[in-house]
C-alpha cells in the first residue's frame, strides 16, 4: 500500500536561514509518527509545510497521492485560496495554542468548519460537533464558552474540531506545551485513544515518554534534518547517533 504521506527533498528557508535542509519522509496509513528534537530543529516548520501553512522553498508533499499546494503538472501554479482550503480539509492541525473563537460556544466552535468547508446544514453540523465533543470527554460542556474552560478542555475542543472534519491526517504541534502540568494528562489520554484507533498522526512533542508509548515510529531532528529514525524502543532506548543520545539524556534528566 502506498504511504498516506510522501515528503520528497523538502527544503524551507527564511531569507538566508535554511530551516529544513532536504527532508525525505513517508508516513504509512494508520501510523503514529512522533517527531522530537531541540528547539529550532525545524519540527514545527516541517508540519506547517505539510499542509502549506508555510510554502516550501523546494521539494514536494503528497497526501494520499495528491500534490499539496500546487496543481499537478503545473509546477509554476500554486493553488488558489479556495483550492487550498479544499486540500487542507483532508489535514487536521492541532496547534500549541487552542485558537478557539471566544464568542462561540464549544459546540459552535467545532461545528463551524463542517458548515463552511463541508457544507453541512446547521443541525447536522451541531449533531456531529456534539458527537466529537463527547468523544473527547466534553459532552457536558457543549454550551460553554472558551473562557469558562480550562486549558486542557480548550485543547480537547480543538481536537474535537479537527475530528469533526474527518481528516485523513492529523498534525499535532506541541499540543501540551501551553498547558499547566496537571492538565497535560487529559490531552495525552485523548491522543492515546486516537492512536489506538489507527488514526494517521504526525506529532511534534517534547513528551518523550508519551512518544515512546503511543508511536509506531519516532524521528529525531536537528538543524533541519532527520538525524535518526526508528521504532520507539530502538530510538529512545538504544539510539545509534551521539547527537540523539545527548538530547535524550538532557530531556529525561529534566523530567525526573
Amino acid at each position: 500500500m502506498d504511504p498516506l504521506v510522501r515528503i520528497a527533498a523538502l527544503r524551507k528557508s527564511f531569507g538566508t536561514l535554511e530551516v529544513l535542509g532536504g527532508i525525505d519522509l513517508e508516513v504509512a496509513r494508520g501510523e503514529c509518527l512522533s517527531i522530537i528534537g531541540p528547539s529550532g530543529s525545524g519540527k514545527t516548520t516541517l508540519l506547517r509545510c505539510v499542509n502549506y501553512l508555510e510554502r516550501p522553498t523546494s521539494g514536494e508533499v503528497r497526501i494520499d497521492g495528491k500534490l499539496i499546494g500546487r496543481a499537478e503538472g503545473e509546477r509554476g501554479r500554486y493553488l488558489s485560496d479556495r483550492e487550498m482550503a479544499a486540500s487542507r480539509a483532508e489535514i487536521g492541525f492541532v496547534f500549541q495554542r487552542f485558537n478557539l473563537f471566544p464568542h462561540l460556544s464549544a459546540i459552535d466552535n467545532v461545528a463551524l468548519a463542517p458548515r463552511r468547508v463541508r457544507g453541512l446544514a446547521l443541525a447536522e453540523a451541531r449533531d456531529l460537533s456534539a458527537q466529537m465533543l463527547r468523544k473527547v470527554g466534553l459532552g457536558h460542556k457543549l454550551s460553554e464558552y472558551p473562557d469558562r474552560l480550562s486549558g486542557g478542555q480548550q485543547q480537547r475542543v480543538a481536537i474535537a474540531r479537527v475530528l469533526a472534519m474527518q481528516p485523513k491526517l492529523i498534525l499535532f504541534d506541541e499540543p501540551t506545551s501551553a498547558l499547566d502540568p496537571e492538565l497535560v494528562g487529559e490531552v495525552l489520554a485523548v491522543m492515546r485513544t486516537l492512536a489506538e484507533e489507527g488514526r494517521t498522526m504526525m506529532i511534534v512533542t517534547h513528551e518523550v515518554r508519551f512518544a515512546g508509548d503511543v508511536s509506531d515510529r519516532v524521528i529525531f531532528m536537528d538543524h533541519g534534518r532527520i538525524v535518526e529514525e526508528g521504532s520507539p524502543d530502538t530510538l529512545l532506548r538504544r539510539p545509534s547517533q551521539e547527537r540523539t543520545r545527548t538530547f535524550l539524556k538532557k530531556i529525561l534528566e529534566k523530567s525526573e
Side-chain angles (χ1 to χ4, degrees):
M1 183 182 294
D2 289 337
L4 179 66
V5 182
R6 190 187 299 270
I7 301 169
L10 186 67
R11 293 182 178 273
K12 176 62 181 178
S13 296
F14 296 97
T16 59
L17 177 63
E18 184 178 67
V19 179
L20 296 177
I23 300 293
D24 295 297
L25 180 65
E26 293 183 349
V27 183
R29 298 174 195 275
E31 181 178 15
C32 180
L33 173 73
S34 287
I35 305 167
I36 64 173
S39 298
S41 60
K43 307 183 301 295
T44 292
T45 301
L46 174 59
L47 290 193
R48 292 176 67 85
C49 284
V50 167
N51 76 339
Y52 257 69
L53 285 174
E54 295 289 352
R55 182 182 292 181
T57 303
S58 62
E60 65 179 36
V61 177
R62 291 181 181 272
I63 307 296
D64 206 7
K66 183 178 179 180
L67 188 63
I68 299 298
R70 290 185 277 108
E72 198 74 60
E74 300 180 51
R75 298 188 67 84
R77 187 178 82 80
Y78 289 95
L79 299 185
S80 66
D81 290 345
R82 183 183 295 273
E83 290 171 322
M84 196 64 244
S87 184
R88 285 201 185 107
E90 306 293 339
I91 309 170
F93 204 128
V94 179
F95 298 87
Q96 295 179 27
R97 296 290 174 179
F98 324 121
N99 296 332
L100 301 180
F101 291 103
H103 64 290
L104 296 179
S105 64
I107 193 170
D108 288 326
N109 261 285
V110 177
L112 186 61
R115 290 182 62 198
R116 291 191 174 180
V117 180
R118 299 291 193 196
L120 270 61
L122 175 59
E124 186 179 5
R126 285 175 63 87
D127 181 62
L128 175 63
S129 175
Q131 291 179 43
M132 294 302 103
L133 286 166
R134 286 194 290 269
K135 182 179 180 66
V136 300
L138 293 174
H140 60 303
K141 297 288 186 179
L142 303 184
S143 299
E144 294 286 0
Y145 287 82
D147 65 356
R148 297 289 300 273
L149 300 173
S150 69
Q153 289 170 337
Q154 290 186 60
Q155 190 63 292
R156 284 188 281 159
V157 173
I159 294 173
R161 180 175 56 188
V162 164
L163 295 177
M165 290 298 289
Q166 301 174 10
K168 295 178 179 178
L169 170 69
I170 306 178
L171 310 175
F172 291 88
D173 182 21
E174 298 278 15
T176 62
S177 65
L179 301 179
D180 292 333
E182 63 269 22
L183 301 177
V184 169
E186 63 191 60
V187 174
L188 295 183
V190 171
M191 294 172 64
R192 188 186 307 277
T193 298
L194 297 179
E196 291 170 352
E197 291 176 353
R199 305 267 183 170
T200 308
M201 304 192 296
M202 297 176 67
I203 306 171
V204 168
T205 183
H206 62 277
E207 302 283 349
V208 172
R209 289 191 173 89
F210 172 76
D213 289 341
V214 305
S215 304
D216 299 296
R217 184 164 48 116
V218 180
I219 67 174
F220 171 67
M221 289 184 63
D222 194 23
H223 293 99
R225 291 172 172 80
I226 296 175
V227 175
E228 187 171 358
E229 64 179 281
S231 69
D233 185 64
T234 299
L235 189 139
L236 299 179
R237 295 175 176 84
R238 299 186 302 277
S240 63
Q241 300 298 313
E242 180 59 32
R243 181 66 186 94
T244 313
R245 289 194 289 271
T246 300
F247 170 79
L248 289 172
K249 182 179 179 181
K250 289 181 178 179
I251 289 292
L252 294 175
E253 285 176 350
K254 287 182 181 179
S255 64
E256 290 178 351

